[in-house]
Amino acid sequence: MSEPPPEEAPDQMTAQRWRAAVAAMPPLLKTKEAALVLRMTEKTVQRLASEGHINGASRLGKEWRFSKHDLLNQLGIRDPAEEEYSGQDDAGEQ
């Protein structure tokens, strides 16, 4: 997975770097990766998941796992990895 440098917080990432990081992520995410996608702290992601506010969240023992597809759908965002493979972006479609 491509992660930002340690000094760069998720909420300070540029949109381009965020899209690249999300595109490189696997389909099933750990809490840290989900926090990057949602641009929230890990603690907030865990709280929202335990309250049932995050689609595609599952608890495996003490750890949470998140469906990248469901997270992005909940945000209304198409997976950047799919856009890279399609060869076109929304600007080129009519």
Side-chain angles (χ1 to χ4, degrees), residues 43-54 57 59 64 66:
K43 192 170 220 164
T44 299
V45 170
Q46 290 172 341
R47 181 179 53 81
L48 291 173
S50 67
E51 293 172 356
H53 297 294
I54 298 179
R59 192 158 184 150
W64 284 97
F66 303 85

Side-chain angles (χ1 to χ4, degrees), residues 62-75:
K62 293 182 178 183
E63 296 184 18
W64 284 97
R65 293 295 183 266
F66 303 85
S67 163
K68 179 171 94 168
H69 175 78
D70 288 343
L71 283 179
L72 293 173
N73 275 346
Q74 189 168 358
L75 294 173

